[in-house]
Amino acid sequence: MEVNPNFSDNAKNDFSLVEKAKEGSQKAYAELMQRYKDSIFFMVLKMVNNKDDAMDITVTTFAKAFENLEKYRPDYAFSTWLFRIATNGSIDFIRKKKLATTSIDGMGYDGGEDKVFEIKSDGLNPEEYSIKKQQTEQLKEIIDKLPARYKTLIILRYFDELSYEEIAEQMDLPLGTVKAQLFRGRDLLSNVLTRRKKSLKSDF
């Protein structure tokens, strides 16, 4: 695969790391993340104005990039491609944050937004409380089918409302591992919810 001849030395180095990462080099993945995690985080932070949300989107950005390395083409720098993913993720986050999330149909993954799984029922009237309780029970049933490590993390984060730091301390895991596995857990949950939604539609 030919590299853009106008690439800077840094862009050429990035391309070399991308090729090594495709071959399975964990060191290459780590170096690419180390190079850009701070700049991605601060760019996203300017867009979403919340550190936790910015961290979630940053983790999601690298996850999406690493999962789709085969789609990267060296017509433009890897950093350009990465920042585009981060920008699109931030825009999606901002847009979806504005959506109502009171029905189970809305409980899908949206790139790291915690409130999409919100289960609080403060201020609801009896009918609304009953509906919310039913939705919560349905969601718990779905979560219960996830692999144990993801189920535990999601319950601690969204039902027990622990912070990332509290979860890391309670489970004796690195903070980065907690964030990455929560991302994966939300992704799995989203897939289950999407299939459920399609199944419900097909019944009518």
Side-chain angles (χ1 to χ4, degrees):
M1 189 179 296
E2 293 186 4
V3 180
N4 189 325
N6 296 320
F7 272 7
S8 65
D9 288 341
N10 190 59
K12 290 177 182 177
N13 288 337
D14 283 349
F15 177 72
S16 176
L17 288 171
V18 167
E19 291 299 294
K20 291 177 182 177
K22 287 181 181 178
E23 295 170 0
S25 170
Q26 294 302 311
K27 184 178 179 180
Y29 279 117
E31 188 167 345
L32 284 168
M33 181 175 282
Q34 185 63 34
R35 284 187 178 200
Y36 293 108
K37 63 181 178 65
D38 289 342
S39 51
I40 290 288
F41 171 78
F42 286 113
M43 183 204 75
V44 172
L45 182 60
K46 288 180 181 178
M47 296 182 69
V48 302
N49 200 33
N50 179 282
K51 288 185 178 180
D52 281 342
D53 293 337
M55 181 58 71
D56 277 348
I57 295 170
T58 299
V59 171
T60 301
T61 295
F62 282 102
K64 286 183 177 179
F66 292 160
E67 286 175 2
N68 293 280
L69 277 184
E70 295 297 333
K71 297 180 181 179
Y72 168 67
R73 294 292 177 268
D75 299 326
Y76 40 82
F78 172 77
S79 58
T80 301
W81 185 66
L82 188 64
F83 274 87
R84 187 177 300 159
I85 293 173
T87 300
N88 290 340
S90 300
I91 292 171
D92 286 345
F93 171 86
I94 293 168
R95 186 184 75 248
K96 292 177 182 180
K97 189 174 182 179
K98 296 177 182 177
L99 298 178
T101 58
T102 55
S103 74
I104 196 166
D105 288 345
M107 293 181 180
Y109 170 68
D110 77 342
E113 167 54 40
D114 288 350
K115 289 184 175 59
V116 82
F117 297 109
E118 188 171 297
I119 60 170
K120 292 181 180 179
S121 56
D122 297 342
L124 300 180
N125 64 40
E127 182 180 1
E128 290 172 332
Y129 177 80
S130 177
I131 293 172
K132 176 65 71 175
K133 184 178 179 181
Q134 182 180 7
Q135 291 170 349
T136 300
E137 291 305 315
Q138 289 175 329
L139 186 58
K140 283 182 176 179
E141 288 178 10
I142 295 171
I143 291 172
D144 207 43
K145 296 175 183 177
L146 295 177
R149 64 183 181 278
Y150 300 125
K151 178 175 69 175
T152 301
L153 286 169
I154 287 174
I155 289 173
L156 289 174
R157 178 63 173 161
Y158 301 108
F159 288 84
D160 296 346
E161 299 182 8
L162 299 186
S163 67
Y164 293 119
E165 291 77 9
E166 289 170 332
I167 295 171
E169 183 176 351
Q170 182 165 323
M171 298 191 68
D172 194 24
L173 290 171
L175 185 59
T177 299
V178 169
K179 289 178 179 290
Q181 290 194 357
L182 267 171
F183 158 74
R184 178 58 179 155
R186 286 195 299 262
D187 193 32
L188 288 172
L189 184 57
S190 172
N191 290 336
V192 174
L193 289 168
T194 298
R195 289 196 299 270
R196 180 187 178 90
K197 186 176 180 180
K198 289 180 179 177
S199 175
L200 289 173
K201 284 184 177 180
S202 67
D203 291 338
F204 293 95

